[in-house]
């Protein structure tokens, strides 16, 4: 389909007259059109459509319908029906009342084009640009960021369910793609074992028999893969997506040698960043936050929080579930810089702060306002004994003094063994540490001639971290930080109104695009409430809490 440029000529006269008579106070769709005009012009999406071919349905209209889907929680079919049936949607889209609309399948094709041409952020960018034109959005001020879990559109599987369902998915795909080839390979036992959906309650009881079942699945999977990669097998069978997932999964979950096929355990398993969780969504990962685990993704929302303008979502970033929040602080700030929307103060929770991030944010000309990471030493975690702060450091002489008054004799600079962060290790003489009466309050001594030791960050990072820890103990800092709690007022409607808690798609790019539509929808809803003077909803409380507050 090619892009057929359509100049916006306004709302048809009959459509405008009927809609205004039916909705004298307007609706969200009517007020958007009257207050903002056509938000999405076709030319903004020209890069996703060729210059020649059959004319396409207006990309601007499809973009607006895609946003309204999330504003009202509609499926593709329901959204297409709304275009045909609702007068206020026709008013917003500038359509005649008898316009037949389009088939619902066009929406999925449109989304695929946006993803394929890198236009996932376009709808949000266009709304932000309109808000900038209205004087309701500018750089500076305060913005806050927080994340929420996003459940994948697939079941959460344990390891046995995962390998069984992965093999079943590959067999189902091959039964459609090459039934004659597959029928000559498998037996009736395979149909009995992998015919129904693999569920935990179907497994045999007892640890030993379950391990035997998992081993049998592994052997069957290797048998199928060997047949697929045999020189006599059609080469195109190996390119079937489910076969590729099977091969990748078996590499991750099993090992095969002269002793046979067995589970990979412990260190033999790949890192969680690379470990598949479902054969139907290879981008989803298993993550844990606040003690709660889920399979899927994580959405990071950033919004303005000034009192005299509507709170606007300026950036939404979607990752798999295992990406740490600290890994997203700089990408979020970079995206805001590219949009020329960097705040003066970036308000975050403790998940987004490190010593390095306090420094890099300062280099950008901003303040990172959030709790500093806690001292991870054993004494600090147990709230007894000496912490790192109790050791005085002389940076010039590269020595440290312990609380007992002894000076260190070794100073090493190296990389942290887990994350590669530069650290400094300092050790004290064993002859001073052993007789010291305060050694029970001190750090654990290493073996050998060395005494107690401490690990800390290089000077700039160490001082930035200590400065942040001192600041957060002041009443002024606590008063300024109260603004962060308001981000829950964005997470809540994002979940309740747009439904981002569970993705509609089975891959990361499509999930990311859906979150951009959701953020755009929330911005439009908030702008409408701002223009109409509708107050935002207050914090919800239970009846018991309300009763106690009233008393």
């Amino acid at each position: 389909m090619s892009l057929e440029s359509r100049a916006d000529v306004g709302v048809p006269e009959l459509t405008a007259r009927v809609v205004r008579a039916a909705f004298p106070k307007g609706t969200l769709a009517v007020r958007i059109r009257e207050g903002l005009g056509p938000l999405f012009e076709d030319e903004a999406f020209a890069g996703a459509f060729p210059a020649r071919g059959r004319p396409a349905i207006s990309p601007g209209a499809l973009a607006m319908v895609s946003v309204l889907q999330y504003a009202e929680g509609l499926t593709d079919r329901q959204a297409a029906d709304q275009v045909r049936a609702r007068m206020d949607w026709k008013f917003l889209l500038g359509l005649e009342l008898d316009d037949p609309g389009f088939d619902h399948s066009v929406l999925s094709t449109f989304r695929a084009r946006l993803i394929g041409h890198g236009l996932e952020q376009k709808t949000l960018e266009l709304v932000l640009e309109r808000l900038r034109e209205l004087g309701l959005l500018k750089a500076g001020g305060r913005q806050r960021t927080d994340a929420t879990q996003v459940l994948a559109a697939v079941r959460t599987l344990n390891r046995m369910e995962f390998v069984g369902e992965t093999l079943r998915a590959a067999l189902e795909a091959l039964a459609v793609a090459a039934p004659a080839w597959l029928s000559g390979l498998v037996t009736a036992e395979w149909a009995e074992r992998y015919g129904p959906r693999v569920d935990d309650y179907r497994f045999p009881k007892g640890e030993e028999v379950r391990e035997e079942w998992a081993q049998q699945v592994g052997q069957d999977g290797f048998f199928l893969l060997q047949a697929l990669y045999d020189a006599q097998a059609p080469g195109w069978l190996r390119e079937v997506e489910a076969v590729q997932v099977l091969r990748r999964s078996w590499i991750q979950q099993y090992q095969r040698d002269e002793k046979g096929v067995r589970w990979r355990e412990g260190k033999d398993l790949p890192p969680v960043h690379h470990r598949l969780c479902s054969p139907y969504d290879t981008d989803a990962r298993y993550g844990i936050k606040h003690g709660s685990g889920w399979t899927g993704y994580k959405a990071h929302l950033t919004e303005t929080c000034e009192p005299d303008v509507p709170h606007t979502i300026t950036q939404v970033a979607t990752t798999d579930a295992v990406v740490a929040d600290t890994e997203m602080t700089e990408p979020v700030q970079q995206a805001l810089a590219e949009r020329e929307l960097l705040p003066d103060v970036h308000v975050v929770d403790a998940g987004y702060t490190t010593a390095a991030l306090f420094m890099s944010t300062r280099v950008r000309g901003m303040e990172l306002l959030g709790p500093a990471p806690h001292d991870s030493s054993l004494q600090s975690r147990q709230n007894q004994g000496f912490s790192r702060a109790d050791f005085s450091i002389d940076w010039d002489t590269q020595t440290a003094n312990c609380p007992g008054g002894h000076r260190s004799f070794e100073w090493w600079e190296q990389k942290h063994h887990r994350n590669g962060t530069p650290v400094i290790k300092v050790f004290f003489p064993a002859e001073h540490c052993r007789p010291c009466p305060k050694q029970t309050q001190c750090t654990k001594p290493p073996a050998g001639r060395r005494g107690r030791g401490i690990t800390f960050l290089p000077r700039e990072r160490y001082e930035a971290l200590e400065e942040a820890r001192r600041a957060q103990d002041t009443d002024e800092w606590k008063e300024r930080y109260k603004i962060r709690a308001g981000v829950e007022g964005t997470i809540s409607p994002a979940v309740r109104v747009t439904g981002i808690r569970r993705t509609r798609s089975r891959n990361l790019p499509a999930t990311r695009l859906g979150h951009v539509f959701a953020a755009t929808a929330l911005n439009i809803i908030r702008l409408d409430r701002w223009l109409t003077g509708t107050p935002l909803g207050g914090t919800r409380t239970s009846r018991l809490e309300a009763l106690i507050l009233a008393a």
Side-chain angles (χ1 to χ4, degrees):
M1 295 187 296
S2 66
L3 178 65
E4 183 182 74
S5 181
R6 296 173 175 85
D8 188 271
V9 295
V11 181
E13 181 180 354
L14 179 60
T15 302
R17 188 167 67 251
V18 173
V19 169
R20 289 194 174 103
F23 304 103
K25 295 183 179 180
T27 67
L28 174 65
V30 172
R31 291 191 293 268
I32 291 172
R33 178 72 193 204
E34 291 182 330
L36 302 177
L39 273 175
F40 306 133
E41 300 286 356
D42 289 347
E43 287 73 14
F45 305 92
F49 294 84
R52 302 177 61 184
R54 180 168 59 88
I57 298 169
S58 168
L62 293 177
M64 179 55 71
V65 171
S66 298
V67 171
L68 290 177
Q69 272 189 272
Y70 281 84
E72 301 193 13
L74 305 176
T75 64
D76 285 355
R77 190 180 296 274
Q78 290 170 334
D81 288 342
Q82 296 293 68
V83 174
R84 284 187 287 272
R86 282 180 54 174
M87 295 184 296
D88 59 336
W89 279 37
K90 292 181 183 291
F91 183 95
L92 172 61
L93 300 174
L95 302 177
E96 298 285 355
L97 290 177
D98 59 353
D99 191 290
F102 50 81
D103 186 79
H104 71 277
S105 62
V106 174
L107 289 170
S108 62
T109 303
F110 175 67
R111 292 193 296 268
R113 285 184 176 274
L114 293 184
I115 295 171
H117 292 81
L119 297 176
E120 299 97 322
Q121 299 282 337
K122 181 58 69 172
T123 57
L124 180 60
E125 291 172 352
L126 291 173
V127 169
L128 295 179
E129 185 60 34
R130 184 60 57 87
L131 289 171
R132 199 195 299 265
E133 293 172 359
L134 294 174
L136 299 176
L137 180 64
K138 59 183 179 180
R142 297 170 295 180
Q143 294 189 38
R144 53 196 176 196
T145 299
D146 202 2
T148 185
Q149 301 97 322
V150 179
L151 304 178
V154 293
R155 290 187 297 149
T156 297
L157 306 173
N158 60 39
R159 283 187 71 184
M160 291 183 62
E161 288 176 315
F162 169 67
V163 295
E165 193 64 18
T166 300
L167 181 52
R168 191 183 81 86
L171 292 170
E172 287 289 304
L174 292 171
V176 174
W181 180 85
L182 185 64
S183 62
L185 187 70
V186 300
T187 64
E189 292 181 356
W190 283 52
E192 181 180 352
R193 192 179 300 136
Y194 307 114
R197 190 177 78 166
V198 178
D199 282 304
D200 187 82
Y201 75 90
R202 296 178 183 270
F203 294 152
K205 306 304 178 184
E207 185 175 348
E208 290 187 4
V209 289
R210 286 193 170 212
E211 289 183 359
E212 292 177 2
W213 187 90
Q215 186 176 5
Q216 182 64 58
V217 173
Q219 292 171 353
D220 292 344
F222 280 120
F223 174 78
L224 179 61
L225 287 170
Q226 186 173 348
L228 286 164
Y229 282 84
D230 188 88
Q232 303 301 319
W236 59 270
L237 287 180
R238 303 161 199 163
E239 304 303 319
V240 174
E241 182 179 1
V243 171
Q244 293 293 316
V245 174
L246 175 67
R247 178 177 178 273
R248 185 176 168 188
S249 301
W250 255 236
I251 292 173
Q252 293 182 354
Q253 297 292 336
Y254 289 102
Q255 54 185 3
R256 182 173 60 168
D257 51 26
E258 64 278 359
K259 296 180 181 180
V261 175
R262 60 186 185 278
W263 282 117
R264 290 186 182 275
E265 298 291 350
K267 295 182 179 180
D268 289 334
L269 287 168
V272 291
H273 282 77
H274 304 289
R275 200 181 309 166
L276 300 182
C277 294
S278 170
Y280 307 113
D281 187 346
T282 56
D283 290 335
R285 295 292 183 269
Y286 184 78
I288 298 177
K289 185 175 183 179
H290 302 312
S292 176
W294 79 101
T295 298
Y297 305 94
K298 193 186 293 184
H300 302 261
L301 302 176
T302 302
E303 68 166 0
T304 60
C305 49
E306 295 301 318
D308 55 344
V309 289
H311 294 174
T312 302
I313 299 175
T314 55
Q315 167 65 6
V316 54
T318 306
T319 68
D320 62 60
V322 297
V323 174
D325 291 350
T326 52
E327 297 179 53
M328 294 306 300
T329 306
E330 287 191 328
V332 166
Q333 293 175 353
Q334 180 60 34
L336 294 175
E338 292 172 357
R339 291 176 177 165
E340 298 181 354
L341 288 174
L342 274 179
D344 295 325
V345 181
H346 189 191
V347 189
V348 296
D349 64 20
Y352 291 90
T353 63
T354 65
L357 290 171
F358 280 119
M359 293 176 56
S360 63
T361 302
R362 192 177 302 167
V363 170
R364 290 183 183 273
M366 297 186 300
E367 175 190 1
L368 186 63
L369 182 61
H374 296 294
D375 188 342
S376 59
S377 62
L378 179 63
Q379 287 76 12
S380 295
R381 295 199 304 269
Q382 296 179 347
N383 198 26
Q384 56 183 344
F386 301 130
S387 67
R388 290 189 183 94
D390 295 313
F391 291 77
S392 61
I393 302 172
D394 188 332
W395 299 99
D396 297 329
T397 61
Q398 294 189 345
T399 58
N401 290 324
C402 74
H406 302 296
R407 183 178 294 274
S408 64
F409 80 107
E410 280 190 276
W411 175 291
W412 291 356
E413 296 183 10
Q414 62 183 64
K415 298 285 187 180
H416 193 278
H417 68 283
R418 291 182 180 176
N419 55 28
T421 301
V423 295
I424 295 173
K425 289 183 175 291
V426 170
F427 293 97
F428 295 84
E431 59 268 21
H432 292 161
C433 292
R434 289 194 185 103
C436 181
K438 298 181 178 180
Q439 63 171 299
T440 56
Q441 300 174 271
C442 203
T443 60
K444 182 179 179 181
R449 65 185 181 88
R450 298 192 190 97
R452 310 279 166 156
I454 59 171
T455 302
F456 50 89
L457 296 169
R459 183 171 187 172
E460 289 187 352
R461 296 190 181 189
Y462 181 88
E463 292 178 345
L465 195 57
E466 290 302 312
E467 179 184 350
R469 286 171 177 164
R470 288 192 299 269
Q472 69 190 37
D473 289 332
T474 64
D475 293 337
E476 178 188 2
W477 187 94
K478 295 174 182 177
E479 186 65 28
R480 295 178 63 212
Y481 189 62
K482 286 181 180 179
I483 194 70
R484 197 215 70 86
V487 76
E488 303 299 335
T490 295
I491 299 294
S492 179
V495 171
R496 292 184 293 106
V497 177
T498 68
I500 69 168
R501 179 54 53 80
R502 180 177 290 277
T503 178
R504 304 182 181 191
S505 309
R506 290 187 177 182
N507 58 67
L508 180 57
T511 298
R512 182 180 291 121
L513 176 61
H515 291 169
V516 172
F517 287 153
T520 308
L522 287 175
N523 281 345
I524 289 176
I525 292 171
R526 287 182 168 185
L527 179 60
D528 175 65
R529 289 178 177 175
W530 175 268
L531 295 176
T532 57
T534 304
L536 297 176
T539 302
R540 291 182 296 168
T541 59
S542 68
R543 295 184 184 276
L544 178 60
E545 290 173 322
L547 180 64
I548 294 175
L549 289 173

